[in-house]
C-alpha cells in the first residue's frame, strides 16, 4: 500500500438554497481555497474526481458545468461518480494507490434544493418493479428502519432527540451548518411526527454546498502539509437493492467495511478519537456507533449532517472533516463514514491517522 | 400495467397445470416519473439571458486570454479568471456548421425538414445553436452570413426563444 493523505480540505458555507450561483460559481471559491491551502497550482494536479447527481440538477451531464471551475483546457485527467463525492474520494485514493500520479483533487457539489421535491428524485433510485411505483419518500424508508430499531428495543425517541440536541448545539458557529441552536429534548419530543417515529428535526436539512479535498502520495503529501491526514484504510460495502429483504436493525455492511479498513490501517474504528458519521437521520447515530463500537470517540463534533445535508457533498464533507481534525492537530486518529441508498444500504469507512 | 383479472369472472376450472408450468411472464408495465426543478442559471449566464429580454446579445471577454464568450459563464473555462463586464454584440454572424433535421420524433415542436446551425456571432469566440429559416436548406452553407430575427415585443423573455431564428443577411456576402 502506498501512503496517501488528505493534505487540504475546504467547503462552502451551508445554504438551504443557493439561487445565485451555478455549479462552477458555487465550486470555484472552494477550489481556490483548497488548492491555496495546499500551496499548489492546478497544473500540478494529476487527477480530478467529482461526485454529483444529474437527477438532482434536472439536466443530463450536469456535472460538466462544474469542470469550468477546474479548467478542462488544456485537457485534464478526470472522472465523475453519479453519487456522493465520498465515492469519488475512494476512486481518487485507488487511483493514487495504483501509482498513476502524485496529487488528486476530489470535489463534490450538492444541489439538493433544485428539485422542487427531492422525494420525486430519490424514488428513481429504488427498484423499478416493486418499490418505485409506490413512491415511498426518503423519510418513510428511514422511518421503517427507525421503527424496527424501536420495536427491537435498541432505540427510543428520547435517545433520538438527545442526538439532535447535541448536533444543533455543536452546529452553533459552524459556517457549514444550516440549522443550529440550543433546544431541549422536551421541546423536540413535543413536535409533530413526520413519519413516525421520526420528526422534522430527526432528519438533516437538505441544502446546497460544495466541498474540495486534496489527496497526495508519500513525500508529496509531506511537502504539501505540515501534518498530512494519512488515509490508512478505506473500504465500502453495499447491501441488497430491495430493503424488504434486509433486517433493518442491522448494518452488517458497516461492520464489514470497518473490519476491512481496520485490516489495512492496523487499528480499529473503536481506537479513533473523533468519528465523522454520515447520519442523515438522528436514529442512525446510535446504530452506527454501536456497529463501530465507538464508545470513547467524539461523534460529529461540528453537528454533522443533522445540521446540514448538501446531498451529494455530505459524505465527502465527512471525510474532509475527519481529515481536518488531523491536519489541525486536534486528533491523531479519526474515522469517516459515508452512506448512500435507502436506510444505510451502502456504507464506506475511512480510517485516518496523523504522524505523531 | 398488466391487465388485472376481471373480478366477475370465476377461475376457469381446468386440469391443474403441470408442476413445471409457469404463468406467462409480465412483459411490461408503466411507472411514470415526474420531477419538477428550479433552474439556477448563475450570475454569469443570467446577464446573457436578461439581455435577450431586451433584444441584446451580451458577451463577456476573458481579461487573460481574450476569449469572448457568448453566452458567458462567470469565469473563463480556460483561465478561471472572472470575465469582464458584459458588452453588446451586433448580432450578425456566420454559419459555422449545420444539419438538416428530416426525422420526426415525439414532442417535436417544428415540422421537419428544418435546419439547425452553429452560429458564430460576430465578435464572439464561441457558437450559439439556433434555427436558420427563410432560406431553402439547399442554399445554406458553412460561411453563410446570418442575422437574428427577434420575436414580438410582448413575447420577449429571458430565454433563447426571444430569437425566433436566424436568416441570411439580405444581400450579404459570405465570410
Ligand atoms: Zn481566459
Amino acid at each position: 500500500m502506498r501512503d496517501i493523505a488528505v493534505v487540504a480540505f475546504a467547503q462552502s458555507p451551508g445554504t438551504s438554497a443557493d439561487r445565485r450561483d451555478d455549479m462552477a460559481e458555487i465550486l470555484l471559491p472552494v477550489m481556490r481555497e483548497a488548492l491555496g491551502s495546499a500551496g499548489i497550482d492546478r497544473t500540478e494536479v494529476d487527477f480530478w474526481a467529482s461526485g454529483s447527481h444529474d437527477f438532482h440538477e434536472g439536466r443530463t451531464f450536469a456535472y460538466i458545468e462544474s469542470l469550468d471551475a477546474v479548467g478542462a483546457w488544456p485537457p485534464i485527467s478526470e472522472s465523475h461518480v453519479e453519487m456522493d463525492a465520498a465515492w469519488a474520494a475512494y476512486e481518487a485514493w485507488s487511483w493514487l494507490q495504483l501509482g498513476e500520479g502524485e496529487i488528486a483533487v476530489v470535489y463534490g457539489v450538492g444541489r439538493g434544493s433544485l428539485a422542487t421535491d427531492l422525494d420525486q428524485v430519490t424514488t428513481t433510485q429504488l427498484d423499478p418493479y416493486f418499490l418505485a411505483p409506490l413512491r415511498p419518500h426518503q423519510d418513510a424508508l428511514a422511518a421503517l428502519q427507525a421503527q424496527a430499531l424501536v420495536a427491537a428495543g435498541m432505540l427510543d425517541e428520547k435517545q433520538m432527540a438527545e442526538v439532535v440536541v447535541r448536533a444543533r448545539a455543536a452546529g452553533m458557529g459552524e459556517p457549514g451548518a444550516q440549522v443550529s441552536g440550543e433546544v431541549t429534548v422536551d421541546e423536540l419530543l413535543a413536535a409533530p411526527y413526520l413519519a413516525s417515529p421520526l420528526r422534522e428535526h430527526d432528519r438533516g436539512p437538505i441544502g446546497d454546498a460544495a466541498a474540495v479535498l486534496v489527496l497526495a502520495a508519500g513525500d508529496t503529501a509531506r511537502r504539501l502539509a505540515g501534518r498530512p491526514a494519512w488515509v490508512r484504510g478505506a473500504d465500502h460495502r453495499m447491501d441488497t437493492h430491495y430493503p424488504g429483504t434486509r433486517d433493518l436493525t442491522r448494518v452488517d455492511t458497516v461492520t464489514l467495511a470497518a473490519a476491512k479498513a481496520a485490516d489495512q490501517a492496523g487499528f480499529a474504528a473503536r481506537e479513533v478519537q473523533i468519528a465523522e458519521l454520515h447520519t442523515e437521520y438522528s436514529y442512525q447515530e446510535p446504530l452506527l456507533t454501536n456497529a463501530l463500537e465507538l464508545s470513547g470517540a467524539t461523534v460529529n463534533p461540528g453537528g454533522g449532517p443533522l445540521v446540514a445535508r448538501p446531498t451529494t457533498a455530505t459524505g465527502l464533507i465527512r471525510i474532509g472533516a475527519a481529515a481536518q481534525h488531523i491536519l489541525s492537530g486536534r486528533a491523531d486518529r479519526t474515522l469517516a463514514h459515508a452512506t448512500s441508498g435507502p436506510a444505510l444500504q451502502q456504507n464506506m469507512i475511512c480510517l485516518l491517522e496523523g504522524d505523531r | 400495467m398488466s391487465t388485472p383479472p376481471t373480478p366477475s369472472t370465476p377461475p376457469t376450472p381446468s386440469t391443474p397445470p403441470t408442476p413445471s408450468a409457469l404463468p406467462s411472464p409480465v412483459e411490461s408495465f408503466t411507472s411514470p416519473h415526474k420531477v419538477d426543478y428550479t433552474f439556477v442559471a448563475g450570475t454569469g449566464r443570467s446577464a446573457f439571458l436578461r439581455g435577450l429580454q431586451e433584444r441584446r446579445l451580451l458577451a463577456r471577454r476573458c481579461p487573460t486570454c481574450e476569449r469572448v464568450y457568448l453566452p458567458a459563464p462567470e469565469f473563463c473555462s480556460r483561465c478561471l479568471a472572472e470575465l469582464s463586464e458584459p458588452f453588446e454584440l451586433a448580432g450578425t454572424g456566420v454559419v459555422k456548421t449545420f444539419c438538416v433535421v428530416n426525422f420526426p420524433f415525439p414532442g417535436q415542436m417544428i415540422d421537419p425538414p428544418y435546419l439547425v446551425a452553429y452560429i458564430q456571432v460576430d465578435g464572439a469566440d464561441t457558437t450559439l445553436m439556433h434555427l436558420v429559416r427563410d432560406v431553402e436548406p439547399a442554399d445554406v452553407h458553412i460561411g453563410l452570413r446570418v442575422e437574428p430575427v427577434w420575436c414580438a415585443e410582448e413575447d420577449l423573455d429571458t430565454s433563447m426563444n426571444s430569437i425566433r431564428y436566424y436568416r441570411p443577411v439580405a444581400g450579404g456576402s459570405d465570410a
Side-chain angles (χ1 to χ4, degrees):
Chain A
M1 296 276 284
R2 251 182 130 190
D3 287 339
I4 311 286
V6 177
V7 295
F9 174 69
Q11 71 180 95
S12 66
T15 59
S16 56
D18 183 337
R19 291 289 177 262
R20 181 179 178 276
D21 300 316
D22 65 24
M23 263 180 141
E25 292 167 20
I26 205 172
L27 180 62
L28 192 70
V30 190
M31 187 65 70
R32 283 177 176 153
E33 187 187 337
L35 295 185
S37 66
I40 54 169
D41 183 73
R42 64 189 169 107
T43 58
E44 295 171 70
V45 178
D46 300 308
F47 184 60
W48 305 82
S50 62
S52 65
H53 206 305
D54 279 0
F55 274 42
H56 290 183
E57 296 266 329
R59 293 177 292 159
T60 48
F61 287 94
Y63 85 95
I64 293 293
E65 182 181 281
S66 73
L67 290 171
D68 277 2
V70 305
W73 185 270
I76 57 172
S77 178
E78 178 272 334
S79 182
H80 176 260
V81 298
E82 197 69 14
M83 60 190 302
D84 194 293
W87 273 261
Y90 190 91
E91 183 186 353
W93 177 76
S94 308
W95 191 89
L96 289 168
Q97 283 295 352
L98 292 169
E100 299 279 353
E102 299 301 309
I103 300 176
V105 169
V106 183
Y107 63 91
V109 183
R111 306 240 35 193
S113 81
L114 296 183
T116 308
D117 176 1
L118 199 60
D119 283 321
Q120 291 177 326
V121 172
T122 50
T123 51
T124 61
Q125 71 182 345
L126 301 172
D127 98 76
Y129 310 111
F130 305 114
L131 209 45
L134 302 176
R135 302 290 183 270
H137 52 87
Q138 297 177 85
D139 303 327
L141 285 161
L144 289 171
Q145 188 163 39
Q147 190 67 264
L149 290 161
V150 169
M154 299 163 72
L155 183 71
D156 61 41
E157 293 181 21
K158 184 163 168 284
Q159 251 180 298
M160 285 157 50
E162 284 164 357
V163 169
V164 176
V165 167
R166 194 167 38 72
R168 295 219 171 175
M172 286 163 73
E174 290 284 330
Q178 289 167 227
V179 294
S180 63
E182 300 207 11
V183 287
T184 65
V185 168
D186 289 342
E187 282 172 62
L188 296 181
L189 290 178
Y193 285 119
L194 190 69
S196 68
L198 302 178
R199 299 171 167 88
E200 173 75 40
H201 55 253
D202 285 310
R203 63 168 177 187
I206 288 163
D208 297 348
V212 178
L213 196 78
V214 183
L215 287 169
D219 288 340
T220 307
R222 293 181 186 95
R223 175 167 63 81
L224 300 183
R227 190 173 194 246
W230 302 106
V231 182
R232 295 296 191 205
D235 195 272
H236 60 114
R237 301 282 153 169
M238 65 187 283
D239 214 323
T240 173
H241 194 194
Y242 187 63
T245 58
R246 290 164 51 192
D247 175 355
L248 293 176
T249 64
R250 301 176 61 93
V251 278
D252 295 339
T253 51
V254 171
T255 315
L256 184 57
K260 297 284 181 188
D263 284 347
Q264 297 165 2
F267 64 93
R270 63 178 169 277
E271 296 174 66
V272 304
Q273 293 147 298
I274 302 175
E276 293 285 348
L277 305 181
H278 190 161
T279 48
E280 299 196 336
Y281 293 88
S282 61
Y283 79 87
Q284 295 174 344
E285 188 178 303
L287 179 60
L288 291 164
T289 52
N290 284 336
L292 294 165
E293 302 174 4
L294 295 175
S295 51
T298 304
V299 173
N300 292 349
L306 290 175
V307 299
R309 180 151 66 111
T311 55
T312 48
T314 311
L316 182 67
I317 291 173
R318 305 275 63 72
I319 300 174
Q324 201 71 273
H325 298 310
I326 290 169
L327 288 162
S328 65
R330 277 193 297 274
D332 295 325
R333 282 175 171 173
T334 61
L335 175 147
H337 159 260
T339 192
S340 185
L344 297 165
Q345 184 209 359
Q346 307 189 45
N347 293 284
M348 183 192 300
I349 300 290
C350 298
L351 292 169
L352 299 100
E353 187 176 37
D355 295 324
R356 295 179 211 211
Chain B
M1 291 283 180
S2 60
T3 312
T6 312
S8 58
T9 311
T12 313
S14 62
T15 53
T18 55
S20 64
L22 291 169
S24 61
V26 175
E27 291 180 343
S28 71
F29 68 91
T30 307
S31 179
H33 282 277
K34 182 178 187 296
V35 189
D36 304 301
Y37 293 98
T38 301
F39 172 60
V40 175
T43 51
R45 289 182 185 88
S46 292
F48 173 81
L49 292 169
R50 291 192 194 292
L52 291 174
Q53 197 167 27
E54 300 169 354
R55 289 203 179 95
R56 302 167 76 203
L57 282 172
L58 295 178
R60 295 175 73 181
R61 186 187 309 274
C62 173
T64 312
C65 73
E66 301 284 303
R67 252 171 97 82
V68 173
Y69 288 85
L70 181 80
E74 183 66 7
F75 306 99
C76 176
S77 56
R78 296 194 174 195
C79 311
L80 309 191
E82 188 168 0
L83 299 176
S84 67
E85 286 302 302
F87 61 93
E88 190 172 354
L89 298 175
T92 52
V94 167
V95 171
K96 287 290 282 185
T97 187
F98 66 95
C99 71
V100 181
V101 178
N102 294 289
F103 184 70
F105 53 85
Q108 197 165 32
M109 306 291 282
I110 305 155
D111 292 331
Y114 55 93
L115 199 136
V116 177
Y118 260 178
I119 291 146
Q120 184 156 20
V121 174
D122 295 339
D125 292 308
T126 58
T127 53
L128 287 179
M129 193 177 92
H130 219 314
L131 301 164
V132 175
R133 313 200 83 162
D134 291 353
V135 57
E136 286 300 317
D139 295 333
V140 176
H141 53 270
I142 290 171
L144 180 70
R145 288 202 57 76
V146 290
E147 63 184 6
V149 177
W150 294 89
C151 70
E153 187 74 29
E154 63 270 23
D155 295 329
L156 285 170
D157 194 8
T158 53
S159 150
M160 279 299 280
N161 291 331
S162 289
I163 300 174
R164 290 171 59 205
Y165 55 84
Y166 276 77
R167 68 178 173 206
V169 172
S173 58
D174 285 0

